[in-house]
Amino acid sequence: MRTDHGIDTLLDLDGQIIDQGRGYWIKFEVWRVEVSPAVPHGIRYSLTLHEPYGTRILGYDNAHAVKPPKKFKYAGRILAHDHKHRHVSDKGVSYEFQDAAQLLADFFADVDRVLKEVESQ
């Protein structure tokens, strides 16, 4: 496994809350854990975008495994822990963690997309 130098950047963001304007905000929770098959990169994370009332409207995390769609019920038993929640009621869809820098880039791209959608409503 190659060294992911972006992990330190991600860990430095732990506890940060970043104002996005109009009451929207981003929260970072990141910490080291033992490397395991479920968490091969050795970090737990929760990157979330919240609306003015505090409800999460977008999130990337690896707090739990995501079950595959029912049509893939017998496709295998390895359940992804890295995933994203695309809206308030989304139970999560798999996210392929490549490295910490790509995680941050993907998260901020989705934040921009969601805030543009909100702005156009």
Side-chain angles (χ1 to χ4, degrees), residues 29 31 33 38-39 41 43-48 56 59-66 80-85 91:
E29 295 176 333
W31 63 98
V33 296
V39 187
H41 38 65
I43 58 166
R44 285 280 189 198
Y45 61 88
S46 174
L47 317 178
T48 54
R56 179 189 71 189
Y60 281 58
D61 68 77
N62 62 351
H64 57 86
V66 176
H81 276 67
D82 296 293
H83 60 277
K84 64 182 180 175
H85 300 271
K91 300 287 186 206

Side-chain angles (χ1 to χ4, degrees), residues 43-115:
I43 58 166
R44 285 280 189 198
Y45 61 88
S46 174
L47 317 178
T48 54
L49 171 65
H50 300 263
E51 67 166 8
Y53 297 106
T55 302
R56 179 189 71 189
I57 57 175
L58 173 69
Y60 281 58
D61 68 77
N62 62 351
H64 57 86
V66 176
K67 294 180 182 175
K70 290 186 189 237
K71 67 181 180 179
F72 298 113
K73 184 176 181 181
Y74 300 106
R77 294 291 173 205
I78 298 174
L79 299 178
H81 276 67
D82 296 293
H83 60 277
K84 64 182 180 175
H85 300 271
R86 299 163 297 179
H87 50 77
V88 175
S89 60
D90 186 357
K91 300 287 186 206
V93 295
S94 292
Y95 171 77
E96 186 176 337
F97 186 99
Q98 296 173 20
D99 58 43
Q102 189 63 52
L103 171 68
L104 287 168
D106 292 343
F107 174 68
F108 280 113
D110 270 351
V111 166
D112 289 345
R113 177 189 55 78
V114 169
L115 291 176

